[in-house]
Amino acid sequence: LDRDPSGELGAAITFGSASGCATLFLEFAPSWKQNRVIESAFIVLDPMPGTRRGPEDVEIDAWRIGERWSPEAISWFDKPELLPPSASGIARAAPPMPLRVDVTAIAMHLAEHAQNDHGIALTAGGGSDVGASFATGASGGNAPRLELYVR
């Protein structure tokens, strides 16, 4: 829910900053589930160039989004429910490097229950410093992506 004053998604999402909790809601084209057996899956976010990183690692949690949602309808007071399975990852403080969260259990669940695929959310609590910023793809940089290893 990192939005600029106009309500648009900003160029970066910052996890673990002193400004509080952050959540990034992601939805991927359904073609990733077709005719594949998932061996492993990762959500990958690239560091936002030119941003300062805090001195502490930031724990990131990934959750299955439990209901339909639209970016326009999400607010801090009205957001979709987050359900298991879940996963955790670490955004390293230094040096800036991509965030890779192992979401294999979530991807397998969504592939088996396609009717319940409403996306994946990444969340992090607030921290005591500037946190770690990653590109959203909204204005430069690579958008978050789902990396699949299949057979």
Side-chain angles (χ1 to χ4, degrees):
L1 291 177
D2 253 11
R3 296 178 184 260
D4 67 22
S6 72
E8 295 296 316
L9 181 65
I13 177 83
T14 301
F15 294 111
S17 74
S19 62
C21 300
T23 302
L24 180 62
F25 294 89
L26 301 168
E27 194 168 29
F28 299 97
S31 60
W32 68 267
K33 296 177 278 198
Q34 296 175 353
N35 301 320
R36 299 176 176 161
V37 176
I38 298 169
E39 292 289 326
S40 58
F42 298 87
I43 297 285
V44 181
L45 282 75
D46 291 329
M48 186 65 183
T51 57
R52 189 169 74 88
R53 294 178 80 93
E56 299 175 5
D57 293 345
V58 178
E59 186 170 336
I60 309 292
D61 295 314
W63 294 89
R64 176 174 65 92
I65 300 172
E67 58 193 282
R68 290 178 193 218
W69 59 279
S70 70
E72 300 79 25
I74 292 176
S75 72
W76 283 111
F77 304 106
D78 187 18
K79 53 189 171 189
E81 183 178 19
L82 304 181
L83 300 172
S86 64
S88 294
I90 299 288
R92 296 288 174 205
M97 55 193 312
L99 168 65
R100 290 175 51 91
V101 180
D102 184 342
V103 294
T104 303
I106 299 170
M108 287 177 163
H109 178 86
L110 295 176
E112 292 171 11
H113 302 91
Q115 73 281 8
N116 294 324
D117 182 5
H118 305 296
I120 298 172
L122 299 179
T123 67
S128 59
D129 203 3
V130 295
S133 295
F134 297 91
T136 64
S139 59
N142 292 322
R145 56 201 176 276
L146 178 63
E147 253 182 27
L148 292 174
Y149 297 89
V150 298
R151 63 178 155 101

